[in-house]
């Protein structure tokens, strides 16, 4: 069972920046599209961004376009989410997942996807 590990979250003031990282031990991410998802209290996980296996195609939710940048380094088995211009509404637990369904600004996990990791908490507050 694939277990992805997210890191890089923290507390940041509005307008600040963070870089999240996603990796996996004993599993190569290079052959998989990777998506970032965000769960806020009382809501299901919302798709934030995704990147294809080669890193040549990226997708963003409308709410983060122009502020977040997804990238990957397959040699390091890492996927990143650079977040800038953070706002309180960006607060939540961020997760990465393999092989999401990415269509324009709509990013959803594969039906029945269960390999969620622990996530990393992002809190945007003054």
């Amino acid at each position: 069972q694939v277990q992805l590990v997210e890191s890089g979250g923290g507390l940041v003031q509005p307008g600040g920046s963070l870089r999240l990282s996603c990796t996996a031990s004993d599993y190569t991410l290079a052959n998989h599209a990777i998506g970032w998802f965000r769960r806020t209290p009382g809501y299901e996980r919302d798709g934030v961004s995704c990147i294809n296996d080669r890193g040549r195609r990226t997708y963003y939710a409308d709410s983060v376009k122009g502020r977040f940048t997804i990238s990957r380094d397959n040699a390091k088995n890492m996927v990143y989410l650079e977040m800038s211009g953070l706002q309180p509404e960006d607060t939540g637990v961020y997760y990465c997942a393999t092989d999401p369904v990415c269509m324009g600004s709509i990013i959803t996990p594969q039906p029945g996807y269960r390999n969620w990791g622990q996530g990393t908490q992002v809190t945007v507050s003054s």
Side-chain angles (χ1 to χ4, degrees):
Q1 185 173 351
V2 177
Q3 189 71 60
L4 302 186
V5 179
E6 304 89 352
S7 62
L11 173 63
V12 63
Q13 292 186 341
S17 300
L18 284 173
R19 187 177 81 160
L20 305 184
S21 299
C22 170
T23 190
S25 58
D26 300 325
Y27 189 80
T28 301
L29 300 182
N31 297 328
H32 299 271
I34 302 294
W36 283 98
F37 297 83
R38 172 173 69 200
R39 187 172 67 184
T40 53
Y43 291 88
E44 296 291 328
R45 289 183 183 90
D46 293 324
V48 174
S49 181
C50 72
I51 188 168
N52 77 334
D53 57 349
R54 300 288 183 93
R56 294 174 181 171
R57 298 190 68 176
T58 59
Y59 303 82
Y60 298 94
D62 288 339
S63 60
V64 306
K65 281 180 182 175
R67 301 189 298 122
F68 290 12
T69 302
I70 191 170
S71 63
R72 66 191 303 158
D73 185 338
N74 286 340
K76 296 183 178 179
N77 209 37
M78 298 289 289
V79 176
Y80 305 102
L81 186 68
E82 299 269 5
M83 307 186 296
S84 63
L86 284 163
Q87 299 300 319
E89 53 265 34
D90 295 315
T91 294
V93 182
Y94 284 70
Y95 304 85
C96 56
T98 55
D99 300 317
V101 179
C102 307
M103 297 181 64
S105 61
I106 307 299
I107 299 139
T108 58
Q110 284 286 346
Y113 187 86
R114 297 181 178 179
N115 294 338
W116 300 103
Q118 294 297 310
T120 185
Q121 175 73 46
V122 172
T123 303
V124 185
S125 176
S126 55

